[in-house]
Amino acid sequence: MVAIEPKLRESYVMQLSKLIRPGGSILLVAWDRRSGTEEAKSDGPPFSLNEAEVRTLFEKESWVESVQFLGETDELAEDPASKDRWAEAGLTELFELYFVIQAKL
């Protein structure tokens, strides 16, 4: 979902509802651009997608049983070599988030 323009995400979720089988699971990996300049946080792709946005997009859907947050990784701490590149772009915090979206039976 981080490659999709944020204004198109609801349509994407609707398409997922047509593709996923009852009881199926989706592993969602998202990038959360937590801090930096406003331009850096909104730039993309990859576009920022935080936990609250994931929950807003999926929890309201009638086909979704649950949204489970599995954890996160501080990308700048994991890959210090990329820290300078992101800092030049104005980003100071970047986290990779992991979710399982479970469809109803």
Side-chain angles (χ1 to χ4, degrees), residues 53-87:
E53 292 168 314
V54 170
R55 292 190 180 283
T56 298
L57 286 165
F58 286 97
E59 288 180 340
K60 67 182 179 186
E61 296 297 321
S62 61
W63 61 272
V64 173
E65 178 72 30
S66 63
V67 177
Q68 181 183 5
F69 176 66
L70 300 176
E72 65 183 24
T73 302
D74 181 342
E75 283 300 306
L76 301 183
E78 287 289 316
D79 184 9
S82 71
K83 189 173 186 174
D84 290 339
R85 178 175 65 98
W86 289 108

Side-chain angles (χ1 to χ4, degrees), residues 17-54:
S17 74
K18 297 173 185 176
L19 298 173
I20 192 165
R21 293 182 179 178
S25 300
I26 298 169
L27 175 62
L28 175 64
V29 179
W31 288 63
D32 183 0
R33 296 172 174 237
R34 289 199 184 153
S35 66
T37 66
E38 287 306 312
E39 183 180 7
K41 292 190 306 184
S42 64
D43 198 19
F47 295 101
S48 188
L49 181 62
N50 64 35
E51 182 178 1
E53 292 168 314
V54 170

